[in-house]
Amino acid sequence: MNVIAQVCALIAAAIHLVVGLLESFFYDRPAVRRFLTLSEDNPPALRLWTFNVGFYNIFLAAGLIAGLVAAWSGHESVGRALVIYVSAFMVAGGIMLFVSDRRLWQGSLGQGLLPLVALVTLLV
């Protein structure tokens, strides 16, 4: 696995980990809601959803980290497969975020750009 893919996957994992922690544990703070959704609104029904989506992002980060650890420990094909699979998921999620609300284009780029670079460098 090349260095560009590894660095992009590692940074993408860090972004998803941080965002997941914000969504799961700090969404009650207005600044966090504004950062994530561009709004300070906090309907009670949204809390359970953000908690769940936060863990989804944490698990995605864990998938990339597991892929990198596998590759670094000599299991190149397993690591490559995990990084490709999870990166594709992240790119698809970024596309869906943009399609669902174009105002969230920055979040879409934050979610999908680095995994896209990792995918391209791994598949070319």
Side-chain angles (χ1 to χ4, degrees), residues 1 9 63-87 122:
M1 191 176 323
L64 282 183
I65 292 167
L68 291 170
V69 168
W72 295 334
S73 61
H75 303 283
E76 178 72 25
S77 59
V78 171
R80 183 181 173 88
L82 272 171
V83 170
I84 289 171
Y85 181 74
V86 175
S87 293
L122 285 170

Side-chain angles (χ1 to χ4, degrees), residues 49-107:
W49 178 80
T50 60
F51 186 76
N52 187 17
V53 169
F55 274 93
Y56 163 82
N57 282 316
I58 292 167
F59 296 146
L60 283 173
L64 282 183
I65 292 167
L68 291 170
V69 168
W72 295 334
S73 61
H75 303 283
E76 178 72 25
S77 59
V78 171
R80 183 181 173 88
L82 272 171
V83 170
I84 289 171
Y85 181 74
V86 175
S87 293
F89 249 81
M90 289 177 170
V91 170
I95 291 169
M96 294 312 300
L97 181 62
F98 179 72
V99 167
S100 67
D101 189 341
R102 286 181 170 40
R103 293 175 298 162
L104 299 175
W105 67 270
Q106 291 171 317

Side-chain angles (χ1 to χ4, degrees), residues 22-23 25-33 42 47 50:
L22 289 174
E23 289 169 330
F25 300 110
F26 301 102
Y27 196 76
D28 57 334
R29 299 178 182 182
V32 171
R33 289 193 304 273
N42 191 18
R47 184 69 199 110
T50 60

Side-chain angles (χ1 to χ4, degrees), residues 3-26:
V3 174
I4 294 172
Q6 291 179 48
V7 169
C8 288
L10 194 57
I11 295 171
I15 289 170
H16 278 76
L17 182 61
V18 168
V19 169
L21 292 171
L22 289 174
E23 289 169 330
S24 292
F25 300 110
F26 301 102

